[in-house]
Amino acid sequence: MACALHGVRPVVPQRGRARRRRARATRPYGGIFLPMNTPPHADEALPQWDVSGIFPALESTEFAEATLRLETQLSAAEAFLDAAHIRRGGAAPAEDAALASLLDEALTRLNALLELYATLQAYVYAFVSTDSFNTLARRKLSALEQLGVRLQQLEVRLSGWLGGLTERLPGVASGEGTVGAHRFYLLERAEQSRYLMSEAEESLAAELNLSGGEAWSKLQGTVTSQLTVAFDQGNGVERVTMPALINLMQHHPSAEVRCRAYQAELAAWEQVKETLAAALNGVKGATNTLCRRRGRRDALHLALDQARIDAPTLEAMMDAIQASLPAFRRYLRAKARRLGNEGGLPWWNLFAPVEHNPRAYRWDEARDFLLDHFSTFSPRLVHLTRRAFDERWIDAPQKPGKRPGAFCMDVPLVKQSRILCNYDGSLDQVFTLAHELGHAFHNECLHAAGKRPLQAQTPMTLAETASIFCETLIVDAVLRASSSDAERLSVLETDLIGRTQVIVDITSRFLFEREVFERRQKAELAPDELCEIMARCQRQTYGDGLDERYLHPFMWTWKPHYYSVEYPFYNFPYAFGLLFGLGLYALYQQEGAAFVPRYERLLSRTGEATPQALAAEFGIDLRDSAFWRQGLALIAERIEHYAQL
C-alpha cells in the first residue's frame, strides 16, 4: 500500500504499502472511505477479519514460539555475516563460485527472516489497526520492532558489502539459481549503498528511529484515532470520532450539517495542532538530517530512488498534470453550480453527494457485484476475491479506535492478504473494496510466481497498478449498468472526486511537502505556518474550483502520508499509479483477453525491474509527457460528460 531502500519498518498505512509487508493504503482521498455513524442496513453485521489461521492469539504458544524462532534466526544470521566478513569493506572470496555460494546463503537467510518477520508484524498490526486502545497488541508491536531493527542492520551490512563488489556482481548474478534470480535486488542494493552512512551510524540511526521518527508517527496516529468531538446531527448531541465527523462533513445529505461538521473539524484540529506540528517537525527534521548525512541532495532525491524513477519522468508527469488542472477546475465549477455555490465549492461540498437518495449497497450485494464484474477479466482475480470474502480476509465495520481509510497487507507465510476498510454501503466504498482487492491480487500474482520477499520489493509507483486497474474495471461496469442520466451523474461524481483527489489534491500535497522540507532545513515550522502553506498550495492547484474562503488548512494534521521519516513525498506515486493504471487499462480495452497474461506477468515482476523497463514492454515511454496526457485526457472526457449531464 514497497521498495524502500533503507530499513525494515512496521506495517503502518503511511504508504500505499509498507516495504516488504506489502501493506497498502488505499486511494489518498480527502477522507472518503470513512465510515458513516451507522451501517447501510441496521440489521447487517459487517465482517471482521479472521487472523486465527495465522496464530491462535497474541498470547498463544504458537506466536511466542514464532517470535523466539525469529530471534534465533536473527542471531544465527548475525553470526554468519560476522564469520563471512560481510560488512562494508569486508573481504570477499576471490573465486566467483565461492562468492556466489556466499551470496546464496545470505539471500536465503534474509528471505526467510523477512517472511517470518512480515507475518508476525502483519498479525500484530491486525489488532493495532482495528483497536488502538489494545495495549497488549501495541506492546507486542513495539517488542517486534526491536527485532526489526536488527533485521534492518543485517541488510545494511549486506548492502555496504555489495557496494564493494559492483564490478563482479553482474557476472556472478548472471546465471541460474538463487543469486541469478536476485540479480535486480543485488545490483540495486550495490548501487544504493553509496547513500549509506557508516555501519555504526546506520545502526544507531535505526535504533534511534524507534524513539524518534516512529514515535512521532505513532503519536500522530494515536491522537487522530482517539480524538472525539461533541456534535449534533439533528437528533441530539453525541460524541463522534474524527473519522466519523469528517465523513459527516463530506457525505451527509444536508449542506447545513456538512458545514457545521467542517467548522467542528477545524476547531478540533485547532486544539491539537501544537502536538501534531511537533510530530511533523520531528519527522521532517529527521528525514532532512538522514538525507544530508547519507549524501543525498534532498528528500526528493530519496523519494525518486524509492519510486525507481528519474527526475525527467517525474517532470514529464507533473508537467502533464499542471496542463490538466483547468479541466478539473471545470468539473469543480460544474459541481458548484449544481449545488448553488456561485463562488466555487466550499470545502464541505467538495465531496458532497449530487443526488438526494444515493443507493446503499449491502455487504452481500457489494460482494456479488464485484465477483460478477471481475469475472469478465480474470478467473484468478475471481478466485482471489471469493476467498477474501468467504475466508474473512476483510475487516469492514467502523468502531472507536479503528484507523480510518483502508489498506491491504500481505501475510507471506500463509500466502494471504488482509484488507481493512470502513464500509458504509456507499458506491464509493464498493470502489474502495475493488481497489484493495487489486492490491491483494498483486500479492497473489507474486505468490503464484514464487517470488521471495527480496524479489517482491515493489516501488509505490507500481504498487498502485493493480488497485487502480481493478477499480477502473468496476467504475466502467457501473457506468455501463446505469440506466438513467441521474445514475450516470452519480457514478461520474464518485469517480471524478476520486480522480480529482489523486491528481489535484496530490499535487497540492507535493507542493506543500516540498516547501515544508525546504523551510525545515532552517527552523521548525509553527502550526500556523503549516496551515498557511497548506492553504496556499490548495489555492495553487484547485484554483477557482474552490471557494478560497473555505479551504482546509489543517489537511496536514490527519494525513498519515506526511509522518514517515524513511518515506518522504508519499504523494506523487499515487498520481503515477493512477495514470499508469489507466494506460494499462486502455491497452486491455484494445487487446482483450490476450492482455491478461501479460498483465499478470507484469504484476509478478514489479520487484525486479524499474517502472520504465516494465512500461517499455507495453510500448510505453514514461519520460514522454504524451503518455501522461493520454491518461489525463480519459479523465477529461468524463469531466466533459459530467458537465453535459
Side-chain angles (χ1 to χ4, degrees):
M1 153 81 129
C3 109
L5 301 175
H6 297 293
V8 178
R9 64 189 301 274
V11 182
V12 288
Q14 296 179 339
R15 290 182 72 238
R17 53 182 201 127
R19 178 181 187 234
R20 303 191 189 96
R21 254 48 66 200
R22 299 187 65 75
R24 301 186 180 94
T26 187
R27 302 170 293 178
Y29 298 176
I32 60 180
F33 314 141
L34 302 178
M36 295 180 181
N37 288 335
T38 57
H41 300 277
D43 61 342
E44 182 176 40
L46 296 175
Q48 298 181 8
W49 52 27
D50 179 9
V51 293
S52 62
I54 308 171
F55 297 105
L58 282 169
E59 295 184 291
S60 66
T61 301
E62 291 85 347
F63 181 82
E65 289 177 344
T67 304
L68 179 60
R69 189 163 67 252
L70 176 63
E71 292 185 68
T72 302
Q73 291 181 9
L74 277 168
S75 297
E78 289 163 347
F80 165 74
L81 263 61
D82 287 340
H85 308 291
I86 294 178
R87 55 170 31 98
R88 176 175 285 178
E95 298 295 327
D96 284 355
L99 176 58
S101 177
L102 200 59
L103 285 170
D104 187 305
E105 177 76 7
L107 293 168
T108 299
R109 287 178 180 272
L110 191 53
N111 273 319
L113 282 165
L114 289 169
E115 284 179 339
L116 179 55
Y117 179 77
T119 301
L120 286 163
Q121 191 184 46
Y123 178 74
V124 176
Y125 195 66
F127 292 90
V128 173
S129 60
T130 54
D131 182 9
S132 65
F133 299 101
N134 188 329
T135 55
L136 173 63
R138 291 170 63 180
R139 187 167 64 251
K140 294 284 187 183
L141 182 60
S142 178
L144 192 60
E145 288 169 352
Q146 301 288 339
L147 300 178
V149 168
R150 292 173 61 187
L151 182 51
Q152 177 179 354
Q153 291 166 342
L154 287 178
E155 193 167 0
V156 167
R157 287 182 60 178
L158 177 61
S159 297
W161 186 64
L162 291 173
L165 300 171
T166 52
E167 293 184 2
R168 297 179 62 188
L169 280 176
V172 173
S174 61
E176 303 294 329
T178 300
V179 177
H182 288 74
R183 175 183 173 86
F184 182 85
Y185 168 80
L186 292 169
L187 297 181
E188 181 180 55
R189 295 301 300 192
E191 194 277 331
Q192 288 294 315
S193 68
R194 72 177 69 182
Y195 302 117
L196 288 175
M197 299 180 288
S198 70
E199 184 179 320
E201 289 173 314
E202 287 290 351
S203 178
L204 178 62
E207 292 187 41
L208 288 177
N209 189 46
L210 291 181
S211 54
E214 286 295 339
W216 286 122
S217 177
K218 289 179 181 178
L219 176 63
Q220 186 269 346
T222 300
V223 169
T224 56
S225 67
Q226 296 186 4
L227 183 64
T228 61
V229 174
F231 189 75
D232 185 357
Q233 300 182 49
N235 52 1
V237 176
E238 59 179 321
R239 296 207 71 84
V240 298
T241 64
M242 290 306 290
L245 181 69
I246 293 168
N247 190 69
L248 289 170
M249 182 270 291
Q250 294 174 346
H251 301 304
H252 197 281
S254 166
E256 188 271 335
V257 172
R258 292 196 302 270
C259 178
R260 286 194 295 105
Y262 164 81
Q263 294 168 340
E265 184 199 349
L266 296 190
W269 296 131
E270 183 73 31
Q271 299 304 309
V272 295
K273 67 180 184 181
E274 293 289 349
T275 301
L276 297 176
L280 188 62
N281 276 295
V283 167
K284 299 311 183 191
T287 300
N288 277 338
T289 298
L290 288 171
C291 285
R292 184 176 67 253
R293 294 298 297 268
R294 287 172 174 156
R296 291 193 177 275
R297 294 188 302 274
D298 51 28
L300 183 57
H301 179 199
L302 170 60
L304 288 171
D305 277 359
Q306 289 175 336
R308 292 185 185 146
I309 64 173
D310 54 19
T313 298
L314 178 62
E315 289 167 5
M317 183 182 75
M318 296 305 294
D319 287 347
I321 286 175
Q322 285 291 335
S324 75
L325 292 180
F328 287 94
R329 293 167 185 164
R330 184 184 181 199
Y331 152 66
L332 294 170
R333 291 195 302 270
K335 181 173 182 176
R337 287 193 298 271
R338 182 175 176 84
L339 296 176
N341 302 134
E342 294 302 325
L345 285 172
W347 195 271
W348 63 83
N349 277 347
L350 183 57
F351 301 91
V354 295
E355 56 180 326
H356 296 297
N357 296 299
R359 176 185 172 183
Y361 290 79
R362 292 180 61 96
W363 184 253
D364 57 347
E365 291 176 326
R367 173 189 182 276
D368 293 345
F369 187 83
L370 292 171
L371 285 170
D372 183 40
H373 292 290
F374 282 165
S375 67
T376 64
F377 178 70
S378 163
R380 178 183 286 179
L381 177 57
V382 172
H383 177 69
L384 180 282
T385 301
R386 185 171 285 111
R387 286 193 68 193
F389 278 94
D390 294 350
E391 298 177 21
R392 289 174 52 202
W393 292 4
I394 307 173
D395 196 276
Q398 64 167 320
K399 64 176 183 177
K402 181 177 178 180
R403 61 142 288 172
F407 66 81
C408 174
M409 61 182 176
D410 185 32
V411 192
L413 283 184
V414 294
K415 291 182 170 53
Q416 299 175 2
S417 295
R418 289 298 183 272
I419 291 170
L420 178 143
C421 67
N422 285 277
Y423 192 73
D424 63 9
S426 66
L427 178 61
D428 176 73
Q429 279 291 309
V430 178
F431 292 168
T432 298
L433 282 171
H435 185 100
E436 299 309 323
L437 286 164
H439 285 311
F441 182 61
H442 194 165
N443 292 339
E444 169 66 19
C445 289
L446 286 161
H447 291 315
K451 303 300 181 183
R452 304 299 301 279
L454 295 176
Q455 298 169 289
Q457 294 181 4
T458 300
M460 190 179 160
T461 39
L462 296 175
E464 292 299 309
T465 302
S467 55
I468 294 296
F469 193 97
C470 284
E471 184 182 342
T472 305
L473 273 173
I474 297 304
V475 171
D476 275 5
V478 176
L479 281 172
R480 288 194 303 270
S482 299
S483 58
S484 67
D485 284 350
E487 283 186 79
R488 281 186 284 274
L489 183 66
S490 177
V491 175
L492 286 169
E493 168 61 30
T494 301
D495 180 53
L496 287 176
I497 192 56
R499 305 310 191 203
T500 301
Q501 288 296 290
V502 175
I503 299 300
V504 184
D505 201 65
I506 282 295
T507 303
S508 74
R509 296 187 213 178
F510 176 79
L511 297 174
F512 169 83
E513 194 160 5
R514 188 173 63 184
E515 182 168 345
V516 168
F517 270 121
E518 291 172 356
R519 292 172 62 169
R520 184 64 184 85
Q521 294 276 18
K522 301 176 182 178
E524 291 186 354
L525 287 85
D528 290 347
E529 290 180 272
L530 294 169
C531 288
E532 185 275 326
I533 299 171
M534 188 84 263
R536 174 159 37 82
C537 291
Q538 288 170 356
R539 285 193 292 270
Q540 283 180 250
T541 53
Y542 284 99
D544 60 2
L546 292 185
D547 187 332
E548 65 175 20
R549 297 172 299 172
Y550 305 110
L551 302 175
H552 199 314
F554 282 110
M555 282 293 286
W556 58 270
T557 57
W558 67 274
K559 284 294 179 187
H561 305 75
Y562 296 122
Y563 295 83
S564 173
V565 170
E566 295 285 7
Y567 298 94
F569 292 97
Y570 191 173
N571 39 56
F572 71 80
Y574 278 107
F576 185 110
L578 169 64
L579 298 176
F580 186 57
L582 288 177
L584 290 176
Y585 187 77
L587 289 177
Y588 163 61
Q589 290 180 309
Q590 296 170 18
E591 298 178 14
F595 171 85
V596 177
R598 297 174 63 208
Y599 171 72
E600 292 181 351
R601 182 172 181 271
L602 178 147
L603 294 180
S604 73
R605 297 176 57 232
T606 52
E608 299 176 297
T610 64
Q612 181 74 15
L614 291 173
E617 296 180 7
F618 290 83
I620 296 170
D621 181 3
L622 298 180
R623 298 187 184 98
D624 184 354
S625 62
F627 167 72
W628 305 107
R629 290 197 300 270
Q630 181 181 31
L632 290 161
L634 294 175
I635 303 174
E637 289 177 8
R638 289 188 175 175
I639 291 174
E640 180 65 26
H641 189 190
Y642 177 92
Q644 291 174 356
L645 288 174

